[in-house]
Structure formats: structure tokens, C-alpha cells
Amino acid sequence: MQVRLVVFGRQGAGKGTQCALLAERYGVPHISTGDMLRAALSEGSPVGMEAKPFMDRGALLPDDIMIRLIDERLHASDAEHGFLLDGFPRTLGQAEALLDLLGDGIDAAIDIDVPLDVVKERMQLRARSDDTPDAIAARLAAYEDDTVPAIEHFDEADLLIRVDGLGEIDEVFGRITTVVDERISVA
């Protein structure tokens, strides 16, 4: 079975946790752009070196760099039978490029929907050094400004499935796998 998913959700929605569980269930790589960028940087790859100045100042990478990085990663042998994209696309331009790049190569885009007040509370409770109130507000605002249009693009392409992200980890996982299994069985 081939599973090709894009997973959206505000910071604090549980995307990383759900992606790890989904990758295990479907036997496909969890492709996190944050992990990819850190690896490219530590390996000193050309894209990593190009990304370094942006990463050093905490800025989003230009779409063209991200698209090249994703294109390269999706052609790796472990992604031959599918993938879970986490953290990409973050912008409308990236969403358009991904759909152009893969054509019908996306089964679904899952939006783990957790209300804003809940993700703020979760982020404050996880006590990470980069989760200051100002940083949280900036990341959530960037998500609304930059990523919501990308989500809407997948909705317009009839690929978006919104999943209630409230509840225990296994409850949310069950909701996601139910809709993914339904989508894949008819694909």
C-alpha cells in the first residue's frame, strides 16, 4: 500500500506525535522539514549551506530552496512507497509547487484541527526555551498568514481532510487513520 500524506496543524497540535505513529502504521518515512534542514546543514550539503543564513536568523527559507530540498527528498529510495510531509508546504507557493511536482501523487492533506487557545496553552506547558510568549504569538501568526492559504489550496484541490485534534493521542490517531484508510481504499 502506498500512502502519500501532507500533515498540517498549528504548532502544539500534536503533528509530530501523530506523524511518528502514522509513519509506523503505514511503513513510510516521516519527512520533517526541520529535521531535513538540520541534517543538510550538518552534512554541509549545497542546499544546507544555502539555507544556513536564513536558519541562523530564524527566518523561513525562500520557497525555491524548500522546493528543491523536498523534491530531492521525495526521490530518495525510502519514499518510493509513500511519505508523510510535516512542515511542508508552509506557504501557498510551496503548496502550488508541491502539487505541480507530484501531480496526483498526494493522497490527502490532513489538517489536525486544535483551537488556538488550546495550542497556546500546550505550547506554554511544554517548557521549551524557544516557546516564549512572543515567539509563540509570532509562530501562530505566521501560521495563519502563510500556512492557512496553503491549507485552503489543498481544500480547493479536494485533498484536504480536517480532523478534530482534541482528545487523547490514540483517539486523534484513530480519527486520522479512519479517514486516511477510507481515502486510500477508494484511491
Side-chain angles (χ1 to χ4, degrees):
M1 171 180 7
Q2 189 172 53
V3 177
R4 300 154 305 189
L5 300 174
V6 174
V7 182
F8 290 107
R10 292 180 179 102
Q11 294 84 349
K15 254 189 348 260
T17 299
Q18 293 300 327
C19 283
L21 294 170
L22 291 165
E24 184 176 326
R25 175 183 172 109
Y26 295 114
V28 297
H30 170 199
I31 301 174
S32 162
T33 54
D35 294 344
M36 285 174 49
L37 288 169
R38 285 184 288 278
L41 191 58
S42 71
E43 293 165 5
S45 77
V47 173
M49 300 294 40
E50 199 172 339
K52 186 178 183 339
F54 297 95
M55 293 172 68
D56 286 348
R57 63 179 189 269
L60 286 179
L61 270 65
D63 287 351
D64 66 313
I65 296 174
M66 286 305 304
I67 293 161
R68 281 184 288 145
L69 191 65
I70 288 294
D71 185 28
E72 183 178 293
R73 179 63 183 92
L74 293 180
H75 286 90
S77 61
D78 69 332
E80 184 177 329
H81 297 291
F83 52 82
L84 297 169
L85 282 176
D86 171 7
F88 184 91
R90 284 189 191 247
T91 67
L92 177 57
Q94 291 175 5
E96 292 168 341
L98 182 64
L99 291 178
D100 287 347
L101 184 69
L102 297 177
D104 62 355
I106 300 283
D107 294 311
I110 306 297
D111 182 14
I112 301 172
D113 188 27
V114 177
L116 197 53
D117 59 329
V118 174
V119 293
K120 282 181 183 177
E121 183 179 321
R122 287 180 182 177
M123 292 170 77
Q124 290 166 346
L125 291 175
R126 64 186 186 186
R128 284 186 2 195
S129 62
D130 62 338
D131 280 343
T132 64
D134 288 345
I136 289 170
R139 287 199 303 272
L140 291 172
Y143 186 85
E144 295 302 315
D145 293 344
D146 300 328
T147 306
V148 167
I151 295 169
E152 291 169 350
H153 187 68
F154 280 92
D155 194 17
E156 291 165 8
D158 198 30
L159 290 169
L160 186 69
I161 302 170
R162 283 193 172 83
V163 176
D164 180 1
L166 292 177
E168 297 298 319
I169 291 170
D170 57 342
E171 290 174 307
V172 176
F173 181 66
R175 288 183 205 125
I176 295 171
T177 56
T178 297
V179 296
V180 169
D181 291 349
E182 287 172 3
R183 175 67 66 113
I184 292 170
S185 69
V186 297

